[in-house]
Amino acid sequence: MKIGKLLEKAKTEHSLSKDDIIELLNSDGILLCKAADEVREKYKGNNVHLRGLIEFSNICGRSCYYCGLRSENKKVERYRLSDEEIFLSAQNAVNAGYKTLVLQSGEDSYYTVDRLCRIIENLRKNDVVITLSIGERTFEEYKILKEAGVERYLLRIETTDRNLYGALHPKMSIDNRFECLYNLKKLGYETGTGVLVGLPNQTISSLAEDILFFKELNADMVGIGPLIPHPETPLKDASKDNFDMALKVMAVTRLVLPDINIPATTAMETIRKNGRIIALNSGANVVMPNMTIGKYRKYYEIYPDKICINDSPLKCIDCIKLKIETAGRKVSQTKGYRNDIN
Ligand code: SAM
Ligand code: SF4
Ligand code: FES
């Protein structure tokens, strides 16, 4: 089918076959990104949701082949924020009007559910939505955290290609990852997932399967990260040229899941000047500025040359607002649930 006709169908039906998706991913992406931008405007309006990201621990027991926080990387200085530092980071975001906090860490077993519940209880004294992104936990743990007031959870599947997943995640199981995501949905979390684009041996066909999985899960949020090779990982020599494909995967995701929240990811800005604005103009409607206080930002080095590591939360708050407004969009005043239009 001609690309124009395919996009017209996608804009009205929001359903695409695997072959359709492959065709779109093989296109130059110009018409695709325009169509995704139109769908975003129709379903999500012009407002952009800001989620304040707090990277509260870079300690991780896993060894994902792409990630600078993997336990085998002895060169990174490890840290945990104190409860007080987490609270102060949150306060900056809340004072700036942020309605959602995202607490992210490596898979750090120090954070038992009891410890997490104490932190959450403290943060919930503010009128904010709490999102967690701390990796795989049991159904019971997710349940307790939900009951403690966590409303959203981010857990990327990273790739749905079984062989590729197995090759990049020692001692991890893709079936457990799928199960975690379905458990989160079952428990009523707004569930975010996503993939890395540019993994060695990843094919267009497997990226198309990834998008079909987002649809099957009925993900509430999807974050697409271009892989940025980290020098202290086994993927240090992988391709760095992953922006354009990541943008196309994001745009197709918007077409098939028109009402979900899609972030313009920090990784996109790291490898392309104005990458977040390009993403906001290609289907995205969320930005997650870094609200971590103090010296810790530079140690949360999942990939090299990450933006904002030497900036303060206040600088990021002003910077991102200006960028959004310059791009003709507005910062949303709502909590940004999937069902919120603006
Ligand atoms: N440990 C939790 C987990 O894995 O779900 C949350 C933190 S982890 C650092 C967050 C995300 O960082 C991962 O889902 C992965 O997609 C992304 N990431 C890790 N290494 C990366 C790299 N080299 N380039 C781009 N993104 C990367
Ligand atoms: Fe740990 Fe997450 Fe990095 Fe994997 S991606 S090594 S689980 S921080
Ligand atoms: Fe941090 Fe621009 S968002 S300096």
Side-chain angles (χ1 to χ4, degrees), residues 37-164:
D37 193 40
E38 287 166 19
V39 171
R40 183 273 309 156
E41 187 171 6
K42 179 171 168 198
Y43 285 83
K44 305 304 287 178
N46 274 323
N47 289 354
V48 175
H49 298 288
L50 297 180
R51 324 282 207 205
L53 180 64
I54 303 172
E55 298 162 335
F56 67 95
S57 161
N58 72 348
I59 296 174
C60 188
R62 303 286 197 188
S63 278
C64 308
Y65 267 34
Y66 39 80
C67 180
L69 304 189
R70 66 199 305 269
S71 56
E72 267 83 349
N73 182 9
K74 306 293 178 215
K75 292 206 174 151
V76 68
E77 189 164 325
R78 303 285 171 170
Y79 72 87
R80 288 187 186 111
L81 259 60
S82 67
D83 288 8
E84 170 129 86
E85 286 167 322
I86 296 176
F87 196 69
L88 281 175
S89 301
Q91 217 50 51
N92 280 327
V94 169
N95 291 344
Y98 286 31
K99 308 272 190 281
T100 300
L101 299 172
V102 180
L103 273 78
Q104 193 181 77
S105 69
E107 287 208 10
D108 184 351
S109 54
Y110 168 83
Y111 289 98
T112 57
V113 276
D114 284 351
R115 282 205 170 97
L116 289 166
C117 285
R118 209 176 53 228
I119 293 167
I120 291 154
E121 194 185 333
N122 215 2
L123 296 180
R124 286 193 69 224
K125 290 177 187 151
N126 297 295
D127 182 26
V128 280
V129 177
I130 313 275
T131 307
L132 277 184
S133 176
I134 59 170
E136 297 178 21
R137 297 275 173 142
T138 63
F139 181 86
E140 267 315 305
E141 288 176 299
Y142 285 151
K143 186 160 182 279
I144 295 167
L145 292 167
K146 181 78 179 33
E147 284 161 4
V150 181
E151 292 183 69
R152 302 184 183 139
Y153 205 100
L154 306 179
L155 183 76
R156 287 185 180 167
I157 190 70
E158 314 293 1
T159 172
T160 58
D161 180 321
R162 282 182 175 273
N163 291 334
L164 193 51

Side-chain angles (χ1 to χ4, degrees), residues 168-232:
L168 300 177
H169 299 96
K171 300 194 190 127
M172 291 173 80
S173 135
I174 195 169
D175 289 316
N176 194 53
R177 197 92 175 164
F178 281 128
E179 197 180 325
C180 285
L181 285 163
Y182 282 105
N183 284 343
L184 290 163
K185 279 297 273 189
K186 207 182 292 170
L187 287 163
Y189 281 95
E190 280 207 335
T191 305
T193 190
V195 289
L196 282 167
V197 175
L199 297 166
N201 302 318
Q202 190 175 40
T203 59
I204 299 263
S205 164
S206 97
L207 289 169
E209 293 283 358
D210 295 345
I211 295 168
L212 291 172
F213 166 67
F214 304 152
K215 179 100 176 159
E216 185 192 304
L217 175 71
N218 190 18
D220 302 297
M221 303 171 274
V222 173
I224 306 295
L227 173 77
I228 306 177
H230 189 295
E232 297 300 328

